[in-house]
Amino acid sequence: AMAGEGSTFRLRCSLLGHGQDVRGLTRGLFPEGGFVSVSRDRTARLWAPDGLNRGFTEMHCMSGHSNFVSCVCIIPPSDLYPRGLIATGGNDHNICIFTVDNPAPLYILKGHKNTVCSLSSGKFGTLLSGSWDTTAKVWLNDRCMMTLQGHTAAIWAVKILPEQGLMLTGSADKTIKLWKAGRCERTFTGHEDCVRGLAILSEMEFLSCANDASVRRWQISGECLQVYYGHTNYIYSISVFPRCKDFVTTGEDRSLRIWKQGECAQTIRLPAQSVWCCCVLDNGDIVVGASDGIIRVFTESLERTASAEEIEAFENELAQASIDPKTGDLGDINADDLPGREHLKDPGKLLYFCTRDGQTRLIKDNGKVEAYQWSVSEGRWIKIGDVVGSSGATQQTSGKVLFEGKEYDYVFTIDVNENGPSYKLPYNITDDPWLTAYNFLQKNDLNPMFLDQVAKFIMDNTKGQTLLSTSNQFSDPFTGAGRYVPGSSSGSSTIAGADPFTGAGRYVPGSASNAAPPVGGVDPFTGMSAYQSTAAKVENIYFPKKDAVTFDQANPTQILGKLKELNGSAAEEHKLTEDDLIILEKLLSATCNTSAETPTAQQLQTLWRAVNWPEDIVFPALDILRLSVRHPTVNENFCSEKEHVQFIILLLKFLNPKGKQANQLLALRALCNCFVSHAGQKLMMEQRDEIMTLAIETKSGNNKNIHIALATLTLNYAVCLHKVNNIEGKAQCLSVISTVMEVVQDLEAIFRLLVALGTLISDDTNAVQLAKSLGVDSQIKKYASVSEPAKVKECCRFVLNLL
């Protein structure tokens, strides 16, 4: 029986405009019911539904890329841009941001080192980009906030999940990674080839499609719930219907497939080999873009369906398409065994074969092989093309040869000599043949005298096809050079008399303190003067914090006693002499303010020998280092240009989570104490990326004192970053705070993280937006109701007010 409305998709319209392959589509927010397309012709186009209810009109054409445009997404409306923004990524390594009414970019995001091939937007103006340079980047407005590193090949697909702070990336390394606050939480394995597309079903589930011709449904927790088969070649794109779990896919087998209740319910063939992209509009219509440069819209609605003439024209175009048997889309073809045209008319065979929509049949007519597809709704066979002999060595313009997970127009096999190995040479028609030849010879250690030969080979075999000459800086996507090196910056003030903290992270009265309590309140770090709860408005005395927090608590007698005891059992080459021990005693008294002497070079050399003791006995020496580095002379000595490399290597070595906890604790405290002088601050800021990356690993030990030290290190970074306003640095600190909040139980550590958070986001709207997009506000809410200590609750409420 013929199916009624609401079950079959038919052509709504075909849109001409792009001059080359349509590579990306996204539904628009403005105008309503519209969408945006991007193409290899270097443009993006905004389409609006026209009044007749069937077609679309091109509103305007946006240009800003110097090379192919490969992806697009909409950034949701904000106060500044109530109609939202359009983001496009291209082969020129850039991301262009457009308003909906201007054909030129509002601004351009630079930072990726290769093609940007996927974009996804989140709340609060965040944008996630994936690139062939193997990294994904998180952007806020016009700044890169963080770089996600971990994939070993091109990132083809990215998605921001509805739950704040969670992001997904899919890669040519065949894996999908889940990131939380900028750190990889989980890797999903199962696909057997490049992952090409991702789509979100709910907060807990998502879909992926890949070059292995399968779609997978996953739970965020890591489990693969289902695998869907149907396509016969690469699947490039996947899109979900609004308010349900049904979805559509497109791929290299010339088809759009509609999946309902987990089954392929309908297959629509297109007269183009590569169906690159699809998106679903709010009304449920499907838009697809393909290698013939035409956008086609399909609908279930009878009133929006194209006229009979348009549908006939589409079917004729399909019938005239030539299918290359090499693609394998139709299975193994042996023309001699194929039946004739009468086969399509045999009713018995019809009933037997045509149980499902999209079934294909091959017949032979007058020596020609033709392909037909069954349409359930029409109850007839529709010709989908002529099967032609293999087309020789020329590539289609679609540039879909994959090499090392990336697309090229050509991949040549070069035999340098008869007996040696053959080499693969990937080439795009936008590349300079000479530069490509030069890089190919370099990469494979081949004799430079082949340069002319290889360049000529490329030109002969591409028939000199080139696009506008663009200066393409060659960059190897596998060097892992995607790490950003933060601009070195330093806080300018030297800190005197920072708040004293004890070993246990609780203030012990009687330890020396130069800090005077602020007027009208209590110093939350020293606990000086009792807290008075009154009906008066509580004043924010917590942040932004201006000075570093240090670990000053000391018992020199105990430290020296332990050092002497361990020295007795140390191996001969490590043993300190009696004189050495006296020298260290003098250093301790000089740096713990018990003597007015200045530490000497001899004392520091002796200390350096002691801190290089074996791991199991070094902790008292580390404790002396922790106390000494607060002294300006010692700080200058260890943190200056000359010495700092050894000093940092030493401290970072002790942060290894597999090492002794006492060493981890003292190394973290020593790093915190480095912030007291200008030299130390400068060094800490220059090495921030590496220090924070290693320091965060100490969270796993569940040691309360280590957690307090880690929180304090983060707080000291926040103090410096508040002064210099380095947004990449703030992004890293926010990511650390969010990650450490997950594991920390101790309320003193929580308090210091809250002060750090408040300090980072004070007077900085970008940092506030970033903190919200990472979901930090939902992480800290529970601390607003902590009864004791009161400072946790108060500080938390002040932070939540900013968020």
Side-chain angles (χ1 to χ4, degrees):
M2 286 280 290
E5 172 161 359
S7 60
T8 307
F9 280 88
R10 295 182 181 79
L11 184 72
R12 171 176 169 180
C13 59
S14 299
L15 304 172
L16 305 172
H18 283 294
Q20 288 188 52
D21 306 49
V22 177
R23 288 304 301 259
L25 288 163
T26 187
R27 67 181 186 88
L29 294 171
F30 177 87
E32 211 172 317
F35 62 90
V36 185
S37 59
V38 297
S39 160
R40 282 171 71 104
D41 67 9
R42 308 182 180 202
T43 68
R45 290 165 201 252
L46 178 62
W47 303 84
D50 63 26
L52 300 169
N53 207 15
R54 283 203 186 143
F56 288 82
T57 317
E58 184 185 309
M59 283 186 68
H60 62 242
C61 176
M62 294 161 274
S63 305
H65 290 279
S66 59
N67 206 328
F68 309 150
V69 193
S70 41
C71 55
V72 59
C73 83
I74 299 290
I75 298 173
S78 62
D79 294 346
L80 201 54
Y81 301 104
R83 291 173 167 186
L85 295 169
I86 297 165
T88 60
N91 283 45
D92 56 5
H93 313 178
N94 294 342
I95 300 164
C96 291
I97 308 290
F98 298 90
T99 57
V100 292
D101 38 25
N102 191 335
L106 181 66
Y107 51 85
I108 295 178
L109 305 177
K110 293 177 184 284
H112 278 296
K113 296 184 166 53
N114 211 319
T115 296
V116 178
C117 52
S118 183
L119 292 167
S120 174
S121 62
K123 295 178 185 164
F124 315 109
T126 45
L127 179 69
L128 176 63
S129 60
S131 164
W132 290 0
D133 66 12
T134 78
T135 73
K137 288 181 183 290
V138 183
W139 309 81
L140 183 63
N141 304 328
D142 56 352
R143 306 284 287 279
C144 177
M145 293 294 153
M146 48 181 78
T147 299
L148 310 183
Q149 295 176 123
H151 283 293
T152 55
I155 294 178
W156 275 106
V158 297
K159 273 281 180 280
I160 296 182
L161 281 154
E163 192 189 324
Q164 291 168 352
L166 291 182
M167 298 175 178
L168 289 169
T169 54
S171 165
D173 64 14
K174 308 178 191 173
T175 71
I176 300 160
K177 288 183 185 291
L178 173 72
W179 306 79
K180 175 149 195 181
R183 293 166 56 77
C184 181
E185 289 269 306
R186 183 169 294 115
T187 300
F188 302 80
T189 54
H191 278 297
E192 288 159 29
D193 206 338
C194 303
V195 178
R196 296 300 287 262
L198 294 165
I200 308 297
L201 287 172
S202 68
E203 288 203 354
M204 300 315 296
E205 287 183 21
F206 66 92
L207 297 165
S208 62
C209 64
N211 281 0
D212 60 11
S214 78
V215 172
R216 285 174 177 260
R217 182 161 66 93
W218 305 86
Q219 257 182 333
I220 295 289
S221 57
E223 190 186 346
C224 180
L225 300 172
Q226 203 170 351
V227 184
Y228 307 87
Y229 295 104
H231 281 277
T232 56
N233 208 324
Y234 301 163
I235 307 176
Y236 292 135
S237 163
I238 184 162
S239 189
V240 177
F241 284 103
R243 295 170 295 282
C244 70
K245 291 198 170 181
D246 297 339
F247 58 94
V248 296
T249 51
T250 63
E252 182 60 17
D253 56 6
R254 310 166 36 145
S255 76
L256 154 70
R257 292 176 195 248
I258 293 132
W259 304 78
K260 295 190 172 174
Q261 275 96 48
E263 297 289 322
C264 179
Q266 190 183 352
T267 301
I268 297 174
R269 301 273 168 181
L270 294 170
Q273 181 65 53
S274 309
V275 191
W276 289 117
C277 50
C278 60
C279 73
V280 180
L281 302 178
D282 287 337
N283 61 8
D285 287 4
I286 302 165
V287 187
V288 294
S291 51
D292 59 2
I294 298 173
I295 296 167
R296 294 177 178 86
V297 187
F298 295 89
T299 185
E300 280 184 305
S301 150
L302 292 177
E303 61 206 35
R304 289 196 297 274
T305 301
S307 66
E309 297 79 48
E310 287 172 279
I311 288 181
E312 195 181 337
F314 172 66
E315 285 181 10
N316 287 340
E317 199 184 351
L318 195 55
Q320 284 156 22
S322 52
I323 300 171
D324 181 348
K326 282 215 314 274
T327 60
D329 299 346
L330 302 169
D332 294 331
I333 299 169
N334 184 347
D336 300 337
D337 302 343
L338 292 174
R341 179 169 295 282
E342 70 287 348
H343 189 69
L344 298 178
K345 301 195 175 74
D346 179 338
K349 290 212 170 72
L350 270 187
L351 292 170
Y352 177 69
F353 282 115
C354 308
T355 50
R356 64 189 179 87
D357 190 83
Q359 171 106 31
T360 52
R361 304 257 52 200
L362 300 177
I363 62 157
K364 197 170 166 188
D365 193 32
N366 296 329
K368 258 184 16 188
V369 177
E370 297 178 349
Y372 283 80
Q373 173 179 309
W374 178 249
S375 165
V376 170
S377 59
E378 313 263 331
R380 65 188 177 99
W381 290 100
I382 296 171
K383 184 179 173 193
I384 59 170
D386 295 308
V387 181
V388 296
S390 79
S391 54
T394 59
Q395 271 297 328
Q396 295 295 308
T397 57
S398 301
K400 56 188 165 286
V401 199
L402 274 143
F403 177 64
E404 292 181 336
K406 293 160 56 186
E407 284 181 335
Y408 294 92
D409 292 317
Y410 299 89
V411 175
F412 299 113
T413 303
I414 308 258
D415 295 302
V416 180
N417 57 39
E418 283 169 31
N419 314 330
S422 60
Y423 299 92
K424 293 282 187 215
L425 188 160
Y427 179 73
N428 281 316
I429 54 178
T430 47
D431 293 345
D432 176 318
W434 296 92
L435 185 60
T436 304
Y438 172 76
N439 285 319
F440 166 75
L441 295 173
Q442 289 278 92
K443 183 178 175 185
N444 296 298
D445 286 333
L446 298 171
N447 192 325
M449 64 180 255
F450 289 122
L451 184 64
D452 290 5
Q453 226 174 315
V454 175
K456 187 172 182 310
F457 171 88
I458 293 172
M459 290 185 281
D460 291 349
N461 282 280
T462 55
K463 310 266 182 300
Q465 269 196 318
T466 53
L467 296 176
L468 303 176
S469 79
T470 55
S471 80
N472 254 9
Q473 286 285 301
F474 180 87
S475 66
D476 181 342
F478 301 100
T479 56
R483 273 166 57 115
Y484 70 88
V485 179
S488 74
S489 49
S490 69
S492 53
S493 74
T494 42
I495 293 171
D499 298 346
F501 282 77
T502 66
R506 208 174 61 251
Y507 177 67
V508 176
S511 112
S513 155
N514 320 353
V519 184
V522 155
D523 189 320
F525 288 92
T526 58
M528 279 198 267
S529 79
Y531 171 65
Q532 308 284 299
S533 167
T534 63
K537 182 172 170 289
V538 180
E539 191 188 345
N540 180 1
I541 52 172
Y542 303 105
F543 61 82
K545 186 124 183 69
K546 297 287 195 289
D547 300 324
V549 173
T550 51
F551 290 92
D552 304 319
Q553 188 62 23
N555 187 330
T557 324
Q558 271 184 351
I559 296 171
L560 287 165
K562 196 70 187 167
L563 187 75
K564 285 174 183 165
E565 177 195 325
L566 292 169
N567 190 49
S569 59
E572 279 312 313
E573 70 267 26
H574 297 303
K575 264 200 174 35
L576 300 172
T577 64
E578 280 302 313
D579 289 348
D580 291 338
L581 292 168
I582 292 165
I583 287 169
L584 290 177
E585 193 171 353
K586 282 191 169 151
L587 174 62
L588 254 184
S589 63
T591 54
C592 291
N593 302 329
T594 46
S595 80
E597 291 171 29
T598 299
T600 65
Q602 184 193 26
Q603 288 168 0
L604 296 179
Q605 280 156 8
T606 308
L607 174 60
W608 187 250
R609 275 184 23 233
V611 294
N612 280 285
W613 268 8
E615 200 174 313
D616 50 342
I617 60 170
V618 73
F619 65 91
L622 274 180
D623 215 4
I624 298 175
L625 178 66
R626 183 255 315 179
L627 290 162
S628 308
V629 80
R630 297 168 309 155
H631 193 289
T633 312
V634 184
N635 196 291
E636 180 65 39
N637 179 76
F638 284 130
C639 300
S640 68
E641 296 297 329
K642 287 203 306 294
E643 303 292 336
H644 77 251
V645 179
Q646 259 59 42
F647 177 65
I648 283 292
I649 290 170
L650 175 90
L651 289 178
L652 294 184
K653 178 182 79 180
F654 292 122
L655 292 182
N656 180 354
K658 294 192 176 67
K660 285 179 79 73
Q661 287 201 332
N663 295 344
Q664 292 173 31
L665 175 65
L666 292 166
L668 284 171
R669 288 182 179 175
L671 288 165
C672 291
N673 287 358
C674 285
F675 282 90
V676 299
S677 283
H678 183 71
Q681 280 180 34
K682 184 167 182 288
L683 174 60
M684 292 292 105
M685 290 298 276
E686 279 169 3
Q687 304 293 322
R688 171 182 52 76
D689 196 20
E690 203 170 342
I691 291 171
M692 288 305 258
T693 303
L694 290 171
I696 197 171
E697 297 305 328
T698 62
K699 75 181 193 314
S700 52
N702 286 331
N703 176 308
K704 149 181 145 166
N705 289 334
I706 287 177
H707 286 169
I708 291 168
L710 178 56
T712 309
L713 180 65
T714 313
L715 171 53
N716 286 352
Y717 270 116
V719 170
C720 284
L721 289 162
H722 179 65
K723 292 171 189 161
V724 296
N725 198 17
N726 163 345
I727 193 71
E728 291 87 351
K730 286 187 174 183
Q732 188 185 24
C733 275
L734 286 168
S735 166
V736 168
I737 290 168
S738 170
T739 309
V740 176
M741 279 275 183
E742 297 277 295
V743 293
V744 170
Q745 304 286 312
D746 182 77
L747 288 174
E748 181 61 39
I750 293 289
F751 170 64
R752 294 184 189 199
L753 289 169
L754 288 170
V755 176
L757 177 56
T759 302
L760 285 170
I761 64 176
S762 289
D763 319 312
D764 186 346
T765 50
N766 277 344
V768 170
Q769 279 181 288
L770 186 64
K772 282 158 96 165
S773 72
L774 292 176
V776 177
D777 47 349
S778 56
Q779 276 184 305
I780 66 171
K781 280 200 176 91
K782 59 182 174 190
Y783 297 114
S785 52
V786 168
S787 52
E788 282 295 318
K791 64 181 184 180
V792 173
K793 171 174 71 183
E794 282 172 19
C795 186
C796 181
R797 287 176 183 177
F798 281 122
V799 175
L800 286 171
N801 285 345
L802 287 183
L803 294 170

